[in-house]
Amino acid sequence: MTIAISLARRGRITVVILITACLLIGVSAVRFSQPAFVGVPKVLTDFDAFHIAGGLAATGRLDEAYDADTFLIEQQKVSGVKSFMPWTYPPPFSAVVQVLSYLPIGVSYALFTGLSFTFYLLVLRCIAGDYLPGVLIAIAPILVINLRTGQNGFLIAGLIGAFLVALMSARNKRAGALLGLMIIKPHLAVSVGLLALWQRSFALLAVAAIVVATLVGVASWLYGFAVWKAFAMALRQATGFLELGYYPLFRMSSVYATLFSLGAGPRIAIVGQALCAIAALAVFVLALVKGTTARYRSALACAAAVMVSPYCYDYDLTILGLALAFVIPDILLRASNLEVGMVMALGWIVGGYGLMVAIFMEKVLDSNASGVVLGAQPLTPTLIAPTLLILYYFIALILRRNPLRVSTDGLAALGSFQERMGQEQCRQ
């Protein structure tokens, strides 16, 4: 057994990560609710926006959350600082944050983050099996970002991963329901939806459509049909903000953000993004046409998911963890210890680049932990997308090889995901 395989299966690493995550959640909960207790000023992060939007929804003013100017005022009431975090989530997710807003923000954050992180870990464990520690090491910076900000990256990736597991297991009703729940962030579900369409899982798609229609109906009943007009207005505003460079591009993983940050105008950047999305989906479809294993199809779907939309942040790269989970046994069988270390290093750069830039940017430190200040952002080079493409290419080269070693400890038996789908842990 090589050093890389040994570390990737060392359960103590998972225990250490879990303990660290619990501590981080505890400290962050205090920072959300009582920042003075830990000697820091109140700064807004992503979950603050969740809580504020939920409070507006609870008082019948969700339409105000979708207006950037009004939402900015509400954010300023909380921190006393002008921040820029527009609310562009669809009304069904607004109903979720409304429920969360009934609790004090520290408790609400801890509950949401703790439960969604647990869900994500269970899905990863089902996919990666004993190689969960290796996956967690590779995406550690992404875990920190989501744990600290309270973003929904764990929830979204958990839904996608659970959908793919259910799809492989021919549980169409469950898979359809999970796909329908991706109405929360539909731009990240394009490739997985395409996979369901390719497999002609029409019953699955029908269930997904019913779930979407039900969620739309519930949201319309709660907030009125006019809320969809406000939501559409928010999307138009967000498009304008993206073209003006108001968002922290250095934390985005899209080709659009990279091109924009390198001086290309928004039109050139969006063309580059469109070409990237087409190429990613074309590679995915080509793999489907030529035929490949269920694990590789799923990994490719996850890899393509974060390359489609111009609006994709580092916290959405929890989906990258799913892709790695599907192929990590094959990587370890084919790569040297040095190559495995390079995969891990590239994963850290992809996940931690935005965090590193934020630490060293004075404007970011003076604004909030989400790295957003009011007005156009400094055009710091955004290197996440090119590094991500390098990571994809490097892994593809490794997976095209014949195995370098034969496992004597059961690793080879892990090669068939379909067989592992028969294990009880994935059936629950």
Side-chain angles (χ1 to χ4, degrees), residues 10 48 51 82-83 104 127 133 152 157 163 178 196-197 203 234 275 282 302 317:
R10 189 161 296 175
D48 284 295
H51 208 257
K82 288 186 177 181
S83 300
I127 297 170
N152 56 20
F163 161 78
L178 292 165
L197 187 62
L275 292 175
C302 294
L317 294 178

Side-chain angles (χ1 to χ4, degrees), residues 44 47 63 73-74 76 124 145 168 201-202 206 288 307 312 339 348 359 380 384:
L44 292 182
F47 193 82
D63 57 322
I73 295 172
E74 294 297 324
Q76 192 172 4
L124 277 185
I145 290 170
M168 292 179 186
S201 303
F202 299 119
L288 295 178
M307 303 303 297
C312 187
E339 288 171 328
W348 273 55
I359 291 174
T380 304
I384 298 178

